[in-house]
Amino acid sequence: LAKTTQPISMDSYEGQEVNITCSHNNIATNDYITWYQQFPSQGPRFIIQGYKTKVTNEVASLFIPADRKSSTLSLPRVSLSDTAVYYCLVGPWGAYNTDKLIFGTGTRLQVFP
Amino acid sequence: EAGVTQFPSHSVIEKGQTVTLRCDPISGHDNLYWYRRVMGKEIKFLLHFVKESKQDESGMPNNRFLAERTGGTYSTLKVQPAELEDSGVYFCASSQRAISEKLFFGSGTQLSVL
C-alpha cells in the first residue's frame, strides 16, 4: 500500500499561493496521485489527479517530480473559501482494489483575511 | 446534473435500534461506494458496488451492517442493531469507472447513536 504523509495543518493569508506537499515513498508504478478537498459538513470533492510532471486545471496545479515519491498541490491566490481539509490519495488506475485508496488525516488549511 | 444525494442528512437513534441510510448516485454511475468517518478518526472505506454486485466489502465492520443496491441504482446501508461506536458521518460516493477515477461524494449522513 502506498501510504501518504502530509502536514497536519497549514495557515495562509488571502491572496497568497499555498503549496501542500504529500510524501508517498512506496508509490507503485501504476499508482495515480489524487487530491480531494473537504469543507465542514460536506463530502470530499475531487480537485486534481496526476501521474507525473505537472497537471493544471482551473482550480489548482499538481507537481510531481521524476521519482514520484512526493507531490505538491499548489493553490494560487487563496481566498477565505479555500479553508478546508485537503487529502492526498495514491492508488492504482483501473483496478478495483478500493482498499488501496486511504484518505489519511489530510492537511487542514486555514486562510486568514 | 444532480449530484450524489444522501438521506437523511442527520439521524439520531438509541442503541439497539435500526437505521437505514440511503444513497442515490449520479445517474449512469455504475460504481457506488460507502465510507464513514467515526469521530476523530480518518475517513474509512466500507464497501464498493459495481452495479448491483458487491465488488469489495472488506471495510464493513461487522455483520450488523448490511448494504444493498437493488437494480444497480440507489443503495441502502442498514445498521441493525445500532451500537454507540457506530456514530459518525457516513458518506456515499459514485464514479463512472474504477476507483481511481474521480469520485463524487454526497454530503453524508450524520448518525448519532445514544
Side-chain angles (χ1 to χ4, degrees):
Chain A
L1 300 179
K3 183 178 178 180
T4 60
T5 302
Q6 307 173 231
I8 296 296
S9 64
M10 294 182 69
D11 292 336
S12 182
Y13 291 94
E14 282 191 294
Q16 290 187 331
E17 177 184 77
V18 171
N19 295 308
I20 305 174
T21 297
C22 177
S23 297
H24 27 81
N25 291 319
N26 59 343
I27 188 170
T29 302
N30 59 343
D31 282 345
Y32 277 68
I33 301 154
T34 312
W35 285 79
Y36 282 81
Q37 173 192 56
Q38 186 179 26
F39 298 112
S41 302
Q42 293 187 26
R45 182 176 74 102
F46 174 92
I47 301 176
I48 197 166
Q49 183 181 76
Y51 184 81
K52 63 180 180 180
T53 62
K54 176 183 176 182
V55 179
T56 297
N57 61 24
E58 65 279 5
V59 177
S61 294
L62 178 60
F63 298 92
I64 306 168
D67 65 7
R68 303 201 326 123
K69 293 183 182 299
S70 67
S71 59
T72 299
L73 174 72
S74 181
L75 304 173
R77 299 178 297 281
V78 295
S79 64
L80 296 177
S81 62
D82 292 316
T83 294
V85 178
Y86 293 82
Y87 294 97
C88 165
L89 294 86
V90 174
W93 173 263
Y96 289 106
N97 296 320
T98 53
D99 60 350
K100 292 188 178 181
L101 279 185
I102 301 173
F103 271 86
T105 57
T107 297
R108 186 173 299 277
L109 172 66
Q110 179 68 55
V111 179
F112 295 96
Chain B
E1 176 183 274
V4 176
T5 57
Q6 293 187 244
F7 182 83
S9 59
H10 294 81
S11 180
V12 181
I13 61 173
E14 293 186 350
K15 175 183 174 180
Q17 289 185 323
T18 297
V19 63
T20 300
L21 313 181
R22 172 169 170 146
C23 169
D24 286 77
I26 292 174
S27 177
H29 282 192
D30 288 341
N31 295 276
L32 186 149
Y33 315 86
W34 285 97
Y35 289 82
R36 76 170 178 177
R37 169 187 275 143
V38 174
M39 181 64 72
K41 301 290 183 62
E42 300 168 5
I43 299 173
K44 295 289 190 183
F45 165 82
L46 295 179
L47 88 159
H48 169 207
F49 283 99
V50 177
K51 296 185 180 180
E52 68 276 8
S53 300
K54 292 177 184 176
Q55 181 69 33
D56 182 353
E57 52 183 332
S58 60
M60 295 287 265
N62 52 61
N63 59 10
R64 295 185 294 102
F65 289 75
L66 175 63
E68 295 180 323
R69 191 182 182 194
T70 306
T73 54
Y74 70 91
S75 174
T76 58
L77 180 64
K78 179 189 289 187
V79 185
Q80 178 183 31
E83 298 290 342
L84 299 179
E85 63 265 25
D86 300 331
S87 296
V89 182
Y90 289 76
F91 293 105
C92 174
S94 71
S95 72
Q96 278 189 313
R97 295 189 290 176
I99 188 69
S100 290
E101 185 67 25
K102 179 191 301 186
L103 295 189
F104 294 84
F105 281 81
S107 295
T109 293
Q110 173 75 59
L111 175 64
S112 298
V113 182
L114 306 178

